[in-house]
Amino acid sequence: MFKLDTILLIDDDFTTNYLHKKIISKSEIDSPIEVANNGKEGIDKLWALNEVTKDNNALVLIFLDLNMPIMDGWHFLEIFEEIKPSLNFNTNLFIVSSSINPDDEARAKNSNHVLDYYPKPLTVDRLVKIKANFI
């Protein structure tokens, strides 16, 4: 069993991040929340967490948006696939997107690293299910 160490929200929308923090707290998931405003910041946050997390049972829960400036979610997933073997912790990654393109959902679900795809915003019910099934 893994111990949830950190939740990483990777999204460029301030309001969405604020709302997701509130929803996470209502779902009784009691872990530190880190925010990255684009995929590059998300990769940087993962490397920073890697420096301080040496517990093989630690889990970082990642909620990734697809459409962001600087580095979008697709590019993040490409880099993530390269660095994942070097991380000192486990990850559970979920796409949370406002995209209505069914190809985006299919592409995301075809990724070996994406556990599920959710429309924005997250809900307490979804987080309770994530907590029950993945944490």
Side-chain angles (χ1 to χ4, degrees):
M1 188 74 175
F2 300 119
K3 178 195 172 294
L4 183 59
D5 186 72
T6 304
I7 297 169
L8 177 58
L9 304 175
I10 306 174
D11 196 318
D12 63 317
D13 185 67
F14 174 84
T15 304
T16 298
N17 289 326
Y18 178 81
L19 178 62
H20 284 165
K21 286 179 186 178
K22 292 291 186 191
I23 291 167
I24 289 166
S25 70
K26 286 183 180 179
S27 67
E28 298 180 2
I29 297 176
D30 211 15
S31 296
I33 300 171
E34 296 278 336
V35 175
N37 295 306
N38 58 64
K40 182 183 180 322
E41 284 185 19
I43 295 294
D44 293 344
K45 294 267 185 185
L46 288 175
W47 281 127
L49 287 169
N50 202 51
E51 291 297 316
V52 297
T53 306
K54 305 297 183 196
D55 181 357
N56 290 350
N57 291 321
L59 174 66
V60 174
L61 195 58
I62 302 170
F63 293 105
L64 175 67
D65 185 24
L66 294 176
N67 299 310
M68 297 174 285
I70 301 173
M71 181 189 289
D72 67 12
W74 300 121
H75 192 186
F76 173 90
L77 284 172
E78 291 172 18
I79 304 295
F80 180 74
E81 185 167 355
E82 294 172 17
I83 70 166
K84 189 172 190 305
S86 301
L87 298 176
N88 298 323
F89 48 83
N90 299 282
T91 57
N92 283 348
L93 191 150
F94 300 89
I95 301 291
V96 182
S97 179
S98 58
S99 173
I100 57 171
N101 184 344
D103 293 339
D104 284 343
E105 183 172 356
R107 182 178 172 192
K109 287 185 174 181
N110 281 333
S111 169
N112 294 332
H113 303 294
V114 176
L115 294 175
D116 212 339
Y117 181 101
Y118 301 113
K120 281 185 184 178
L122 287 171
T123 64
V124 171
D125 287 344
R126 281 193 190 109
L127 283 166
V128 168
K129 287 178 185 172
I130 288 169
K131 185 177 177 182
N133 294 319
F134 298 104
I135 300 173

